[in-house]
Amino acid sequence: DKKLVLDTSQNLYQLCMKTDQRDDLTFEGYHLSELLELLDRAFTNTYVIKHILEDKINEKSTAIQYFTELFLSLYGALLDPEPDELEKRAVKYLLRILLQISSYPEYLKQLIDNNQFCIIIESLANCPKRDDVKRIWCNIQQIMLTNERKKEMSSKIYISYDYTNEEFCKEFVKELRKRMTIPIWVDYENVDLSDDMWEYISPNIESATVVIILVSTAYGESTDKFQELSYIISTNKSRDENKGLIVVTTEPNFTFNRSWMKDLLHGKPMVSYENNIGHMAWN
């Protein structure tokens, strides 16, 4: 029920604002970290994000201002050698919320306007095991870079997939290479699985002239894939409007199981699943 989700999300947001005023970050039995975790889950729905962020004062979202200021008041837990674990957990989910906000260009600009926020994010992005921070910083950099500073793009295909579909991906890439000479970038050939892999992935998304999304039920369930796809969409304006982003379904009778995936991929060219992967690659 969409209305129930929106009402619940709004209540969570209101509770967050009451809870962070308490010294112990608790209110009515809830710790701020618990509320932010639930709100992070709700934010995987595009309509929830837009609903929460719609209240504005002087054209600026009051919710974005709240989340950035909350982060600036709590981020020290990430640097404390003996942090309060619940406070550290609160920052973790707050960063995930800010990452989801930063995936939307119309909201990212307001984050960039907060100079202190950008300075802290840039500083934290240089620390190891700060994947969400690195992704936020990548989103910020993409907007801040001028056209003159952007690298000249050469033809390259980037493959986005969920790890549960890795075998399908390998077979699909193999068939693609039989049919074309354009370089294909896929993470399992270039990056070891680690917390810092985003810094290798994001430049290749930016420089790709074509992105192929291998969608599946598992892809739709992944928060990481939501963030990756949002970043892909935000960079898509530099690609061919009709051929720059192609959706390939990896399972029969696939339907979009998440509204965010349906919203982001609406109207994009789609190749339907077939038992013959070679034929799919040819299409």
Side-chain angles (χ1 to χ4, degrees), residues 49-56 61 63-64 67 101 107:
I49 293 180
K50 292 185 176 181
H51 176 73
I52 297 294
L53 303 187
E54 67 180 357
D55 288 339
K56 295 182 179 180
S61 166
I64 293 177
F67 287 127
I101 291 172
Y107 302 136

Side-chain angles (χ1 to χ4, degrees), residues 29-251:
Y30 293 101
H31 189 271
L32 180 62
S33 60
E34 297 174 285
L35 300 172
L36 290 171
E37 180 179 1
L38 293 172
L39 199 55
D40 169 52
R41 293 180 186 178
F43 265 37
T44 59
N45 296 294
T46 303
Y47 62 84
V48 171
I49 293 180
K50 292 185 176 181
H51 176 73
I52 297 294
L53 303 187
E54 67 180 357
D55 288 339
K56 295 182 179 180
I57 297 177
N58 297 327
E59 299 302 314
K60 291 186 179 293
S61 166
T62 54
I64 293 177
Q65 183 177 349
Y66 167 73
F67 287 127
T68 52
E69 290 180 355
L70 181 60
F71 171 75
L72 291 174
S73 70
L74 296 177
Y75 79 90
L78 298 177
L79 306 174
D80 191 337
E82 296 182 359
D84 179 293
E85 289 302 320
L86 285 176
E87 189 171 325
K88 186 177 179 181
R89 183 177 175 84
V91 178
K92 169 187 172 181
Y93 287 106
L94 181 55
L95 277 170
R96 292 176 69 92
I97 289 171
L98 288 165
L99 175 56
Q100 296 195 64
I101 291 172
S102 75
S103 299
Y104 295 81
E106 64 267 36
Y107 302 136
L108 177 57
K109 185 179 183 302
Q110 187 173 334
L111 292 179
I112 293 173
D113 287 343
N114 189 318
N115 189 52
Q116 186 182 3
F117 175 78
C118 291
I119 291 171
I120 298 301
I121 290 295
E122 180 181 11
S123 176
L124 291 173
N126 292 320
C127 301
K129 298 183 179 180
R130 294 274 184 263
D131 202 39
D132 287 339
V133 178
K134 292 178 191 294
R135 293 186 181 203
I136 295 171
W137 181 237
C138 282
N139 289 345
I140 290 173
Q141 282 184 306
Q142 191 214 343
I143 297 297
M144 294 175 70
L145 288 174
T146 62
N147 290 333
E148 290 75 24
R149 292 168 61 195
K150 289 183 179 178
K151 294 181 180 178
E152 185 175 350
M153 291 173 61
S154 58
S155 294
K156 180 170 69 177
I157 296 173
Y158 175 87
I159 308 289
S160 176
Y161 70 101
D162 185 81
Y163 292 116
T164 58
N165 307 121
E166 185 169 328
E167 291 307 312
F168 179 97
C169 181
K170 288 180 177 179
E171 186 65 25
F172 185 79
V173 169
K174 177 182 174 182
E175 293 296 329
L176 274 182
R177 285 180 171 145
K178 291 178 181 178
R179 293 161 172 78
M180 61 181 64
T181 58
I182 299 174
I184 298 173
W185 197 96
V186 61
D187 60 9
Y188 57 74
E189 295 179 344
N190 297 279
V191 185
D192 291 329
L193 290 178
S194 72
D195 290 336
D196 297 327
M197 65 188 302
W198 181 251
E199 62 185 293
Y200 298 97
I201 290 174
S202 58
N204 284 286
I205 291 175
E206 293 170 20
S207 61
T209 48
V210 176
V211 175
I212 297 177
I213 314 291
L214 303 183
V215 294
S216 65
T217 301
Y219 194 106
E221 296 293 341
S222 170
T223 301
D224 286 342
K225 292 296 110 178
F226 165 70
Q227 292 158 356
E228 181 178 330
L229 182 56
S230 297
Y231 191 69
I232 289 168
I233 296 297
S234 73
T235 63
N236 202 46
K237 57 183 177 294
S238 59
R239 303 185 188 99
D240 183 280
E241 185 176 344
N242 297 316
K243 300 178 181 178
L245 195 154
I246 300 169
V247 181
V248 176
T249 60
T250 65
E251 56 196 41

Side-chain angles (χ1 to χ4, degrees), residues 171-172 175-176 179-180 271 276-283:
E171 186 65 25
F172 185 79
E175 293 296 329
L176 274 182
R179 293 161 172 78
M180 61 181 64
V271 177
N276 188 330
I277 294 179
H279 190 258
M280 292 176 68
W282 183 258
N283 289 335

Side-chain angles (χ1 to χ4, degrees), residues 262-280:
K262 184 176 182 179
D263 290 343
L264 291 174
L265 295 177
H266 177 72
K268 300 294 186 291
M270 180 175 290
V271 177
S272 298
Y273 176 83
E274 298 180 28
N275 287 327
N276 188 330
I277 294 179
H279 190 258
M280 292 176 68

